[in-house]
Amino acid sequence: MSMGESPNEFKLNNPPGDGISAVKFGPTSSQFLLVSSWDDSVRLYDIIANNMRLKYSHSAAVLDCCFQDAVHAYSGGLDKVLKMYDFNSSTEMTVGNHDAPIRCVEFAPDVNVIISGSWDSTVRLWDPRGPTAAGTFTQPDKVYTMSVCGDRLVVGTAGRRVLVWDLRNMGYVQQRRESNLKYQTRCIRCFPNKQGYVLSSIEGRVAVEYLDPSPEVQKKKYAFKCHRIKENGVENIYPVNAIAFHNLYNTFATGGSDGYVNIWDGFHKKRLCQFH
């Protein structure tokens, strides 16, 4: 089939048996997709060949996963265990634990550190060379979402709090913020240009924020409504569960509980397209 005829969507074979908690593309190509699920599994797909390359399991639902490089994955979830899996040797190891479920797992390539965020109200850093523990940092509340922004980490917690940490100096919090949205934070993702982040809430709203605290930069921030459906004069409002950036264009996608994915141009404040 020529590119002109190829379908613009297709289903992956061997999908997880329960809700999907995270999907992450590989660091160097979009051929490989890492998927964590409530069915206790983490799966690696080759989306060009459309097959599942490997699968490993936790003892409970997995809430997040990430690539460290093309051959190592990290994952965590309700079993409170951070696992590392080596694709080449098909071996897994327990890197460490939290005192409550692990909600977020990220890799920060600029500082070569794995980061886990938990409902135990801590963020923990791990040195992948061990892998070994590299520090525990108390957050104001349960960690709901995290995003790496170069050598900075943006953490969203319960209570609508947002913290900006410097991964090179975790001795203090660089910025303490409150979400500009009135309802619970669902997801935060940083712009690839590292200037700011996009934050979504359970109440069909998205905020575009900037890290530079100067007034002229802060003037640029804004928020908008989305993932709402009007039916018979009643507006149904849905959570915005996921945000993902295109790493070149700085456009971003939002996924909502209304069953839609919207693609946005944040700089020109317009919606580019929608997937059902």
Side-chain angles (χ1 to χ4, degrees):
M1 258 160 72
S2 76
M3 268 312 278
E5 299 164 5
S6 64
N8 67 352
E9 60 178 67
F10 56 92
K11 283 193 169 139
L12 290 181
N13 296 321
N14 269 325
D18 203 341
I20 292 167
S21 54
V23 285
K24 307 271 176 93
F25 277 112
T28 50
S29 93
S30 54
Q31 179 176 1
F32 295 103
L33 189 70
L34 194 65
V35 177
S36 59
S37 169
W38 283 81
D39 73 357
D40 308 350
S41 78
V42 179
R43 296 159 192 249
L44 180 72
Y45 293 94
D46 177 338
I47 64 169
I48 292 173
N50 193 355
N51 64 21
M52 186 178 81
R53 293 289 286 268
L54 57 87
K55 169 182 155 184
Y56 69 94
S57 294
H58 282 250
S59 60
V62 189
L63 299 185
D64 204 6
C65 60
C66 72
F67 284 95
Q68 178 210 336
D69 53 31
V71 294
H72 295 92
Y74 283 75
S75 53
L78 297 188
D79 62 4
K80 312 174 195 174
V81 173
L82 180 69
K83 279 193 178 186
M84 186 270 281
Y85 192 87
D86 182 324
F87 302 160
N88 286 342
S89 61
S90 300
T91 53
E92 63 179 70
M93 70 175 289
T94 294
V95 179
N97 297 74
H98 275 267
D99 301 329
I102 296 171
R103 178 63 187 86
C104 319
V105 182
E106 293 284 335
F107 175 59
D110 291 16
V111 290
N112 193 32
V113 72
I114 300 287
I115 308 156
S116 55
S118 166
W119 293 339
D120 67 9
S121 303
T122 70
V123 162
R124 297 188 183 189
L125 304 191
W126 311 87
D127 183 341
R129 292 169 304 187
T132 53
T136 299
F137 305 92
T138 302
Q139 308 299 310
D141 213 324
K142 287 181 180 172
V143 176
Y144 283 168
T145 181
M146 298 187 314
S147 187
V148 171
C149 202
D151 56 11
R152 290 196 278 193
L153 175 71
V154 183
V155 179
T157 73
R160 300 173 37 256
R161 286 191 260 233
V162 177
L163 291 90
V164 182
W165 294 84
D166 179 351
L167 288 165
R168 297 180 195 280
N169 179 12
M170 294 287 287
Y172 67 101
V173 184
Q174 203 173 57
Q175 295 181 37
R176 287 179 195 273
R177 300 176 168 214
E178 191 169 84
S179 165
N180 283 318
L181 305 182
K182 286 208 298 276
Y183 293 87
Q184 185 189 95
T185 303
R186 210 14 98 80
C187 186
I188 292 174
R189 289 292 176 262
C190 288
F191 278 94
N193 68 14
K194 304 180 178 63
Q195 302 296 300
Y197 57 88
V198 174
L199 178 151
S200 69
S201 80
I202 58 167
E203 188 252 347
R205 245 178 245 266
V206 167
V208 177
E209 300 280 345
Y210 291 89
L211 288 169
D212 184 337
S214 67
E216 62 270 23
V217 173
Q218 287 300 311
K219 276 209 305 262
K220 297 196 293 186
K221 72 183 183 188
Y222 65 96
F224 60 94
K225 298 176 188 175
C226 50
H227 298 281
R228 295 163 179 237
I229 298 175
K230 264 207 174 76
E231 284 172 320
N232 314 320
V234 176
E235 187 176 47
N236 291 314
I237 301 172
Y238 296 89
V240 183
N241 300 315
I243 304 165
F245 273 95
H246 189 287
N247 56 9
L248 290 180
Y249 302 128
N250 279 285
T251 50
F252 62 92
T254 56
S257 291
D258 56 349
Y260 289 95
V261 172
N262 292 316
I263 311 286
W264 307 93
D265 177 339
F267 298 117
H268 299 103
K269 302 187 182 179
K270 63 174 196 269
R271 189 170 78 186
L272 300 175
C273 61
Q274 183 177 67
F275 304 136
H276 295 230

